[in-house]
Amino acid sequence: MTTPPVTATGPPAVALSEEELSRVDALWRAANYLSAGQIYLLDNPLLTEPLRAEHVKPRLLGHWGTSPGLNFVYAHLNRLISAHDVDMMFVTGPGHGGPALLANTWLEGSYPEVAPEAAQDAEGMRTLFRQFSFPGGVPSHVAPQVPGSIHEGGELGYSLAHAFGAAFDNPGLVVACVIGDGEAETGPLATGWHGNKFLDPARDGAVLPVLHLNGYKIANPTLLARIPGEELDDLLRGYGYDPYYVSGSDPVAMHQAMASALEAVLAGIRAIQSGGGPRPAWPMIVLRTPKGWTGPSEVDGKPVEGTWRAHQVPLPAVRENPRHLHALEAWLRSYRPEELFDASGAPVAEVTAVIPRGDRRMGANPHANGGLLLKPLRLPDIRAHAVTVKEPGGTGTEPTRVLGRYLRDVFSANDSARDFRLFGPDETASNRLDAVYEATAKAWQEATEPVDEHLARDGRVLEVLSEHQCQGWLEGYLLTGRHGLFSCYEAFVHIVDSMVNQHIKWLRVHREIPWRRPVASLNYLLTSHVWRQDHNGFSHQDPGFIDHVANKSSEVVRVYLPPDTNTLLSVAEHCLRSRDYVNVIVAGKNETPDWLGAEEAALHCARGAGIWEWACTFPYREPDVVLACAGDAPTIEVLAAVSLLRKHLPELAVRVVNVVDLMRLQPESEHPHGMSDREFDALFTPDRPVIFAYHGYPWLIHRLVYRRANHAGFHVRGYQEHGTTTTPFDMLVLNDMDRFRLVIDVIDRVPGLARTAGVVRQEMATARERHRHWIREHGEDLPEVRNWTWA
Amino acid sequence: MTTPPVTATGPPAVALSEEELSRVDALWRAANYLSAGQIYLLDNPLLTEPLRAEHVKPRLLGHWGTSPGLNFVYAHLNRLISAHDVDMMFVTGPGHGGPALLANTWLEGSYPEVAPEAAQDAEGMRTLFRQFSFPGGVPSHVAPQVPGSIHEGGELGYSLAHAFGAAFDNPGLVVACVIGDGEAETGPLATGWHGNKFLDPARDGAVLPVLHLNGYKIANPTLLARIPGEELDDLLRGYGYDPYYVSGSDPVAMHQAMASALEAVLAGIRAIQSGGGPRPAWPMIVLRTPKGWTGPSEVDGKPVEGTWRAHQVPLPAVRENPRHLHALEAWLRSYRPEELFDASGAPVAEVTAVIPRGDRRMGANPHANGGLLLKPLRLPDIRAHAVTVKEPGGTGTEPTRVLGRYLRDVFSANDSARDFRLFGPDETASNRLDAVYEATAKAWQEATEPVDEHLARDGRVLEVLSEHQCQGWLEGYLLTGRHGLFSCYEAFVHIVDSMVNQHIKWLRVHREIPWRRPVASLNYLLTSHVWRQDHNGFSHQDPGFIDHVANKSSEVVRVYLPPDTNTLLSVAEHCLRSRDYVNVIVAGKNETPDWLGAEEAALHCARGAGIWEWACTFPYREPDVVLACAGDAPTIEVLAAVSLLRKHLPELAVRVVNVVDLMRLQPESEHPHGMSDREFDALFTPDRPVIFAYHGYPWLIHRLVYRRANHAGFHVRGYQEHGTTTTPFDMLVLNDMDRFRLVIDVIDRVPGLARTAGVVRQEMATARERHRHWIREHGEDLPEVRNWTWA
């Protein structure tokens, strides 16, 4: 490791006074001591006695490398906040920043407030150390247990997107975001920088990126630390930032350089926010320090500080190797704990002097516990938007287009609160939600051309061709106490599979933490779905996101498949009111028959699943067969199949069950929405054949119902990965979910029917053949299918 | 739209002669004509008669906007290839480039060679037009059906990664990669630029990025087209490129500018490749043209050319609106088709003059049909690496560490062919595969420091902290006829869920295309898995990738869970030999008992699932219970449970079944590896209780076996999303898959046992309690668990 020279660009240094420097340094040393202590110590937290092997944890788990840099940034931001009364949050990008953030929030008192067992005394410090990466304790990342955090950092890449999400519509807030140079290599982070093209200096807060170049990942140098300095400067300026460089390893010089740079940066932010003009180049910090700074410089003859070897546990064999034990003690004592903590174990005044007070402490900033600030959305009455349904299927509407009008009114109703946003990857209009532009615009800070439409600096729709950005921004927006909806092509929401995993995990843990207040749910509207990709093809066909989320914590996950416009409105309103969930709504944008009036829709959605009596052939008879459906396209096919059955097999008692809330199918024991066996049997019968037409992969239904009495009676049709560029009805035929196939299924499954209904069965098979010939010739579906209506 | 002025930077223009210019322009016009024709025409392909409504497709599906720009690039690259005999591939980033690439490959003859029905005559042109976005035809993206392609473009973001993957170890090749300005906003593309830090000018080929700024996405301006020009220039230079700008809309001036820029770029590439020195700034092109260039400038009074309205179908109502029909005819005739095609419909010599011949045609480049070039890997004998197993469980090894030694020898054996690479996000050493560094290094083009290890410019291990990069590079490497393995933390492979979706889809279609030759499988080694995240916590625990791929085409997907070192070797060797699959191998890196010797392991893996007779209590009796396992941690727990049962319930006949190849559980009808019902019943019995300990989410096993006779007898234990930072054994207890719980399950499930074995049941429950207290106190697992061995 070549130690970089100390440099700081920007305006001339605002030199810290001796006293200030000493205070910032004391705070930094204290945080470094506590960070190392968490990784190593079970006991003897204040080193009041010589360190012995039994004071050390048996399993050394944790990450030292990033911690001193984070502590350095945190200490300096504390000083800045105190000096200028800044409303500031801290987003910790580096994956394993847990020790640093726990150390700092302990020192500022925000952690002991939420975890009284870790009080600011020796016993509390012992607890702080012991719990870290310990069974029943806290993880090595900045988890929900850490006050002040909205960002885990376990899976890297999302810190900047979270920071921008937090800054939107928070004009007084500065979101400091430390980006690790490992994280900076990820795709989401690489495009995350472009958040500045959507941040309105007048109506939004500021994001202060601190790119921390400590040079190494787990086992490799990092790209941004090794490319030539001019290239890095070009890159950051190319991203639209004005970088200030703070580089070195000498603490005194570095303190002066960092303080000076931060003063300049804050002045720059304030100037931008009070100015006008085109999109500014926002200031940022590039901090170049050794990895594992202030830790052991060499272990067993190999360099450690300033290398990848400092990533995790620099001294790996402390319990076994007396030399390692000795080195650990020397390292810990190098921070001079006796100067930092009083006899009781509390940090001395010198350490806490630069820490801000109350809510200005970054661990106590209410934005980072967004539920504290959350106000319910003002939701307009959905009945004003509901479609009038005189008879089921008598009319047709485009569900998302109607939803767009409702969302427009949501924007209007919450215009003054500015706490609702719509997110999408360039698809809001394609998904037919464009009525929202009557109430707001798309956020856009660049120049505009005469041909542009609906762009404005303070627009509240965020469109960028990156699902990662949409997801990350929305997460940051929600966790700071606001509301939102992400509309996405169904197939491409898999791009954020891993991000939603992490958000669900965050919510799962957050729900168990008493001081974390409920936040608005993360709402997905998945449209342009698998059954209607007429313009595209196989690559755009994938209903598997439902399966993906269904694996995750049932406390958090909800899946809705509204079959028509009014049910979509009802579900959407419900989701916008809800808290602490991830709601997945799958709904089409193409014209769909209106099955239920507003009241019926509300009732049906409240029940989550129900018998559609108007569609049953003998609603008061025990059915011969149940035709069940979940999803808009399956519902149409089931009703079309019922039409055919009514005509061809008029004596058959067919029950129609529609499922809106997919998790209703699970047992009560598995999901809070799960039906009791009695309810389930009342809908699906204990023993009659059930032909279930489902929007997605059929086996998910089997997974949900395999414990039910009638599971063996379930025959599920769905998407079987037979995708291509073709017509809507052909997609159904290819995947054996078309009306003709469903009728054949009924004939094959109802006892005795195969024998008597052979002619009908043959007619259905012939219709499928006719379809195949017709589309090859005409390129569109059979007229009888295109023009079919239920009424 | 403000039309940008024509500019080209770089060396003075190499002016095209009148004749050359005329030829390039004719080729471009022909491709534009054919692109528009595909979107619109059912018939009258050569416009030999006036255009009538019935000549037009009933459903207008396709994307015009990007096509003329792609055609422009393709025509100019053709000229460059012909002039300099360049070995060049074409990667089409823009999502809907289908019409352009089909047009160009038709014109160069490579498409008619693989699709004789689309011959170079009027009837063939009619077929070319008709099939586009038509049932049974080809999609709007560059799908596997398009010769010369290795890249779909349906889901945006991966073009640059694919291009770099193709260029690695192909020193003679230039991979031209057109990047759409929409795609450029995605995360994967934003980090994709950094591929240049891994490309060895001496041993790899070149990537020539062409950033196509046509200004608009579906409904929005694009970021990179709108940021100030100096910022864009900084950004591209910051990424390490030397951009040449070609901007404008006047065809003549643009032809000269593009030809001049390409000459300079090619000269630059050649100079870099013959030089030495530090990583160069590779040349690239920034092409700024109107969207929908040469299409209708205005429709219904609104500007179209040069705006987002040109994205899809510029004239939407041709069949219904005579003015649109007229405008379409005028547009098509503006290309003067009568000058471009002879009476038979074949392109005239003027059009084809600049097209290269034979394999130099980009649609015929053998690299783009990698199976043509694929050579089998030379695979060392795994027996040389196998662990000697005197008795099951008598020794323990770290499976991935042994695999690392095998992979080291794979590198050595294929050193001269240079057609194998290992990919990983900074985790090769963490995943304990670091023996490979004895045979090769990590590719690295930046400066090195004395502390660095295993970095070299021609290293064949690719490590970057971006799963997207690893996946994209590997896909590009495989599709151009080479071999590879991607090792990844299990939880974070979800980051590439959507990419593997698309690769599986590509392979599904590729397998059905006779001229596409088999390529090496995409092999995942998922390690640092859910059960051993001791250093991390909940965010690092997720076995759901198996579920994700299990939804996809069974022709392509294989999942292996080797329980020990020798089975891992056997599975890995099998996967490296295989073709056209996506193989998911899940294996631990921590020390694991060696259960099977080399021969037994080979046999067991070939069968995919089998009875472990040595572990059964009465192997020749009909079992009272089957204990099944899949995965390394479950296998240990099952055998530990058998130990306990043997001791506490010595009369019980326990059968142990281990499953390596998960898809064996499916019915034959569902998966090519599926077992017959007879085989299944022979292993699992038709009616005895089966306690199945599974690595991942338990419901996947239910999904795979729900059609089996004994499904009701299956009781599956697995990961239930109870994750946290804790000890390995505690993870098992939290998720009810520990040995004590499995014994309780046996007692509860074997008829009559609950009555007689109450004391044993209580002992097991007590052991679980003892465990909970022990870890809270000691931070590590019970000694009896840590020290447990089977032998």
Side-chain angles (χ1 to χ4, degrees), chain B residues 80-98:
Chain B
L80 192 75
I81 294 166
S82 296
H84 299 278
D85 191 32
V86 190
D87 186 7
M88 187 176 279
M89 275 177 65
F90 192 87
V91 172
T92 312
H96 295 94

PDB file of all heavy atoms in Angstrom, chain B residues 80-98:
ATOM      1  N   LEU B  80     -16.366  -1.029 -43.777  1.00  0.00           N
ATOM      2  CA  LEU B  80     -15.080  -1.110 -43.062  1.00  0.00           C
ATOM      3  C   LEU B  80     -14.505  -2.524 -43.132  1.00  0.00           C
ATOM      4  O   LEU B  80     -13.301  -2.716 -43.372  1.00  0.00           O
ATOM      5  CB  LEU B  80     -15.297  -0.691 -41.607  1.00  0.00           C
ATOM      6  CG  LEU B  80     -14.041  -0.428 -40.779  1.00  0.00           C
ATOM      7  CD1 LEU B  80     -13.413   0.910 -41.175  1.00  0.00           C
ATOM      8  CD2 LEU B  80     -14.380  -0.415 -39.284  1.00  0.00           C
ATOM      9  N   ILE B  81     -15.368  -3.499 -42.894  1.00  0.00           N
ATOM     10  CA  ILE B  81     -14.920  -4.905 -42.951  1.00  0.00           C
ATOM     11  C   ILE B  81     -14.372  -5.216 -44.337  1.00  0.00           C
ATOM     12  O   ILE B  81     -13.301  -5.821 -44.483  1.00  0.00           O
ATOM     13  CB  ILE B  81     -16.092  -5.859 -42.621  1.00  0.00           C
ATOM     14  CG1 ILE B  81     -16.537  -5.677 -41.169  1.00  0.00           C
ATOM     15  CG2 ILE B  81     -15.703  -7.305 -42.892  1.00  0.00           C
ATOM     16  CD1 ILE B  81     -17.880  -6.329 -40.856  1.00  0.00           C
ATOM     17  N   SER B  82     -15.115  -4.805 -45.357  1.00  0.00           N
ATOM     18  CA  SER B  82     -14.684  -5.092 -46.733  1.00  0.00           C
ATOM     19  C   SER B  82     -13.361  -4.407 -47.036  1.00  0.00           C
ATOM     20  O   SER B  82     -12.476  -4.995 -47.675  1.00  0.00           O
ATOM     21  CB  SER B  82     -15.741  -4.612 -47.729  1.00  0.00           C
ATOM     22  OG  SER B  82     -16.930  -5.331 -47.561  1.00  0.00           O
ATOM     23  N   ALA B  83     -13.209  -3.186 -46.570  1.00  0.00           N
ATOM     24  CA  ALA B  83     -11.999  -2.441 -46.897  1.00  0.00           C
ATOM     25  C   ALA B  83     -10.786  -2.987 -46.156  1.00  0.00           C
ATOM     26  O   ALA B  83      -9.661  -2.925 -46.671  1.00  0.00           O
ATOM     27  CB  ALA B  83     -12.203  -0.959 -46.559  1.00  0.00           C
ATOM     28  N   HIS B  84     -10.986  -3.534 -44.954  1.00  0.00           N
ATOM     29  CA  HIS B  84      -9.828  -3.907 -44.130  1.00  0.00           C
ATOM     30  C   HIS B  84      -9.838  -5.364 -43.698  1.00  0.00           C
ATOM     31  O   HIS B  84      -9.038  -5.753 -42.850  1.00  0.00           O
ATOM     32  CB  HIS B  84      -9.785  -3.010 -42.879  1.00  0.00           C
ATOM     33  CG  HIS B  84      -9.644  -1.557 -43.189  1.00  0.00           C
ATOM     34  ND1 HIS B  84      -8.442  -0.971 -43.471  1.00  0.00           N
ATOM     35  CD2 HIS B  84     -10.583  -0.572 -43.294  1.00  0.00           C
ATOM     36  CE1 HIS B  84      -8.641   0.332 -43.715  1.00  0.00           C
ATOM     37  NE2 HIS B  84      -9.933   0.592 -43.616  1.00  0.00           N
ATOM     38  N   ASP B  85     -10.751  -6.137 -44.242  1.00  0.00           N
ATOM     39  CA  ASP B  85     -10.844  -7.556 -43.885  1.00  0.00           C
ATOM     40  C   ASP B  85     -10.881  -7.763 -42.364  1.00  0.00           C
ATOM     41  O   ASP B  85     -10.072  -8.501 -41.794  1.00  0.00           O
ATOM     42  CB  ASP B  85      -9.662  -8.337 -44.515  1.00  0.00           C
ATOM     43  CG  ASP B  85      -9.903  -9.839 -44.383  1.00  0.00           C
ATOM     44  OD1 ASP B  85     -11.079 -10.263 -44.406  1.00  0.00           O
ATOM     45  OD2 ASP B  85      -8.905 -10.578 -44.214  1.00  0.00           O
ATOM     46  N   VAL B  86     -11.833  -7.117 -41.733  1.00  0.00           N
ATOM     47  CA  VAL B  86     -11.950  -7.202 -40.272  1.00  0.00           C
ATOM     48  C   VAL B  86     -12.832  -8.390 -39.884  1.00  0.00           C
ATOM     49  O   VAL B  86     -13.856  -8.641 -40.518  1.00  0.00           O
ATOM     50  CB  VAL B  86     -12.583  -5.906 -39.693  1.00  0.00           C
ATOM     51  CG1 VAL B  86     -12.468  -5.887 -38.177  1.00  0.00           C
ATOM     52  CG2 VAL B  86     -11.954  -4.678 -40.314  1.00  0.00           C
ATOM     53  N   ASP B  87     -12.417  -9.098 -38.847  1.00  0.00           N
ATOM     54  CA  ASP B  87     -13.247 -10.154 -38.260  1.00  0.00           C
ATOM     55  C   ASP B  87     -14.129  -9.471 -37.212  1.00  0.00           C
ATOM     56  O   ASP B  87     -13.661  -9.114 -36.135  1.00  0.00           O
ATOM     57  CB  ASP B  87     -12.321 -11.195 -37.612  1.00  0.00           C
ATOM     58  CG  ASP B  87     -13.079 -12.415 -37.097  1.00  0.00           C
ATOM     59  OD1 ASP B  87     -14.297 -12.518 -37.349  1.00  0.00           O
ATOM     60  OD2 ASP B  87     -12.443 -13.260 -36.441  1.00  0.00           O
ATOM     61  N   MET B  88     -15.381  -9.274 -37.545  1.00  0.00           N
ATOM     62  CA  MET B  88     -16.226  -8.427 -36.696  1.00  0.00           C
ATOM     63  C   MET B  88     -17.582  -9.060 -36.406  1.00  0.00           C
ATOM     64  O   MET B  88     -18.197  -9.656 -37.272  1.00  0.00           O
ATOM     65  CB  MET B  88     -16.433  -7.063 -37.382  1.00  0.00           C
ATOM     66  CG  MET B  88     -17.165  -6.055 -36.505  1.00  0.00           C
ATOM     67  SD  MET B  88     -17.294  -4.401 -37.277  1.00  0.00           S
ATOM     68  CE  MET B  88     -15.677  -3.710 -36.922  1.00  0.00           C
ATOM     69  N   MET B  89     -17.999  -8.905 -35.156  1.00  0.00           N
ATOM     70  CA  MET B  89     -19.350  -9.287 -34.733  1.00  0.00           C
ATOM     71  C   MET B  89     -20.154  -8.031 -34.437  1.00  0.00           C
ATOM     72  O   MET B  89     -19.583  -6.982 -34.145  1.00  0.00           O
ATOM     73  CB  MET B  89     -19.283 -10.081 -33.432  1.00  0.00           C
ATOM     74  CG  MET B  89     -19.037 -11.543 -33.578  1.00  0.00           C
ATOM     75  SD  MET B  89     -18.899 -12.286 -31.912  1.00  0.00           S
ATOM     76  CE  MET B  89     -20.558 -12.008 -31.275  1.00  0.00           C
ATOM     77  N   PHE B  90     -21.455  -8.196 -34.427  1.00  0.00           N
ATOM     78  CA  PHE B  90     -22.353  -7.068 -34.198  1.00  0.00           C
ATOM     79  C   PHE B  90     -23.285  -7.412 -33.038  1.00  0.00           C
ATOM     80  O   PHE B  90     -24.047  -8.372 -33.131  1.00  0.00           O
ATOM     81  CB  PHE B  90     -23.157  -6.804 -35.472  1.00  0.00           C
ATOM     82  CG  PHE B  90     -23.914  -5.500 -35.489  1.00  0.00           C
ATOM     83  CD1 PHE B  90     -23.298  -4.338 -35.934  1.00  0.00           C
ATOM     84  CD2 PHE B  90     -25.247  -5.438 -35.100  1.00  0.00           C
ATOM     85  CE1 PHE B  90     -23.991  -3.127 -35.975  1.00  0.00           C
ATOM     86  CE2 PHE B  90     -25.950  -4.232 -35.134  1.00  0.00           C
ATOM     87  CZ  PHE B  90     -25.317  -3.071 -35.575  1.00  0.00           C
ATOM     88  N   VAL B  91     -23.206  -6.651 -31.960  1.00  0.00           N
ATOM     89  CA  VAL B  91     -24.123  -6.839 -30.825  1.00  0.00           C
ATOM     90  C   VAL B  91     -25.110  -5.672 -30.828  1.00  0.00           C
ATOM     91  O   VAL B  91     -24.703  -4.508 -30.813  1.00  0.00           O
ATOM     92  CB  VAL B  91     -23.355  -6.905 -29.489  1.00  0.00           C
ATOM     93  CG1 VAL B  91     -24.324  -6.906 -28.309  1.00  0.00           C
ATOM     94  CG2 VAL B  91     -22.471  -8.142 -29.445  1.00  0.00           C
ATOM     95  N   THR B  92     -26.381  -6.013 -30.857  1.00  0.00           N
ATOM     96  CA  THR B  92     -27.439  -5.014 -30.999  1.00  0.00           C
ATOM     97  C   THR B  92     -28.065  -4.721 -29.652  1.00  0.00           C
ATOM     98  O   THR B  92     -28.944  -5.448 -29.203  1.00  0.00           O
ATOM     99  CB  THR B  92     -28.537  -5.545 -31.950  1.00  0.00           C
ATOM    100  OG1 THR B  92     -27.921  -6.067 -33.120  1.00  0.00           O
ATOM    101  CG2 THR B  92     -29.523  -4.451 -32.314  1.00  0.00           C
ATOM    102  N   GLY B  93     -27.618  -3.658 -29.000  1.00  0.00           N
ATOM    103  CA  GLY B  93     -28.192  -3.312 -27.713  1.00  0.00           C
ATOM    104  C   GLY B  93     -29.635  -2.835 -27.790  1.00  0.00           C
ATOM    105  O   GLY B  93     -30.465  -3.280 -27.002  1.00  0.00           O
ATOM    106  N   PRO B  94     -29.966  -1.921 -28.715  1.00  0.00           N
ATOM    107  CA  PRO B  94     -31.331  -1.376 -28.700  1.00  0.00           C
ATOM    108  C   PRO B  94     -32.381  -2.479 -28.755  1.00  0.00           C
ATOM    109  O   PRO B  94     -32.311  -3.388 -29.588  1.00  0.00           O
ATOM    110  CB  PRO B  94     -31.360  -0.495 -29.948  1.00  0.00           C
ATOM    111  CG  PRO B  94     -29.936  -0.043 -30.085  1.00  0.00           C
ATOM    112  CD  PRO B  94     -29.133  -1.261 -29.705  1.00  0.00           C
ATOM    113  N   GLY B  95     -33.324  -2.359 -27.881  1.00  0.00           N
ATOM    114  CA  GLY B  95     -34.237  -3.453 -27.604  1.00  0.00           C
ATOM    115  C   GLY B  95     -34.979  -3.981 -28.802  1.00  0.00           C
ATOM    116  O   GLY B  95     -35.171  -5.177 -28.946  1.00  0.00           O
ATOM    117  N   HIS B  96     -35.381  -3.111 -29.662  1.00  0.00           N
ATOM    118  CA  HIS B  96     -36.267  -3.542 -30.738  1.00  0.00           C
ATOM    119  C   HIS B  96     -35.578  -3.446 -32.084  1.00  0.00           C
ATOM    120  O   HIS B  96     -36.160  -2.990 -33.068  1.00  0.00           O
ATOM    121  CB  HIS B  96     -37.548  -2.729 -30.703  1.00  0.00           C
ATOM    122  CG  HIS B  96     -38.352  -2.985 -29.468  1.00  0.00           C
ATOM    123  ND1 HIS B  96     -38.256  -2.210 -28.351  1.00  0.00           N
ATOM    124  CD2 HIS B  96     -39.238  -3.963 -29.165  1.00  0.00           C
ATOM    125  CE1 HIS B  96     -39.070  -2.675 -27.417  1.00  0.00           C
ATOM    126  NE2 HIS B  96     -39.666  -3.739 -27.883  1.00  0.00           N
ATOM    127  N   GLY B  97     -34.348  -3.902 -32.121  1.00  0.00           N
ATOM    128  CA  GLY B  97     -33.587  -3.815 -33.361  1.00  0.00           C
ATOM    129  C   GLY B  97     -33.890  -4.916 -34.360  1.00  0.00           C
ATOM    130  O   GLY B  97     -33.217  -4.995 -35.400  1.00  0.00           O
ATOM    131  N   GLY B  98     -34.875  -5.744 -34.075  1.00  0.00           N
ATOM    132  CA  GLY B  98     -35.169  -6.874 -34.950  1.00  0.00           C
ATOM    133  C   GLY B  98     -35.280  -6.520 -36.420  1.00  0.00           C
ATOM    134  O   GLY B  98     -34.604  -7.122 -37.273  1.00  0.00           O
TER     135      GLY B  98
END
